[in-house]
Amino acid sequence: MDKASQVLAQGAPPGVRKSYRALADHGDKAQSQQYLTPWEESGLLKFLLQMSDLGQPVRIKFIPFLAFVATRQRPATDRLLKPPGKNWAKAFEKRHPGIAARRVTALDWNRHDKHIAPKITH
């Protein structure tokens, strides 16, 4: 049984949240299963919070790319070859509710100025 499975099988002691992150922090054995190390994750979180404070929240679809860039700073033997999975950004946002990740929605056609030809020629 690998280290991460051992930590999950042990469960959490009283007072510790029952999440993978809390188990990893408590057990200190499931770190190898996480995409980012704790200091990389805190650095990414700090960057996202700074961007939100400046009024420029990062789009949620770019967060996995930023995490992949953070892993490129590791030594060549520890580098990951793939970006995080498709659900990683949503889980990251759940773990850190303080970040303001922006989702892009389509603009309502009634709000769109349908007559843009004069603007283009101007």
Side-chain angles (χ1 to χ4, degrees), residues 48-114:
L48 294 173
L49 290 173
Q50 286 175 349
M51 293 303 289
S52 295
D53 290 343
L54 293 174
Q56 300 174 354
V58 177
R59 292 168 111 186
I60 196 163
K61 72 178 193 177
F62 294 127
I63 293 176
F65 174 73
L66 293 172
F68 185 62
V69 169
T71 63
R72 303 311 297 168
Q73 306 304 317
R74 294 180 186 174
T77 57
D78 295 338
R79 280 192 197 141
L80 300 171
L81 301 176
K82 296 183 199 173
K86 64 179 182 175
N87 297 325
W88 184 86
K90 188 67 178 167
F92 180 81
E93 190 180 23
K94 268 184 161 176
R95 281 194 306 272
H96 306 287
I99 64 170
R102 193 174 66 155
R103 287 175 183 74
V104 178
T105 57
L107 184 64
D108 184 21
W109 185 250
N110 294 329
R111 291 180 55 202
H112 182 63
D113 186 11
K114 296 175 188 169

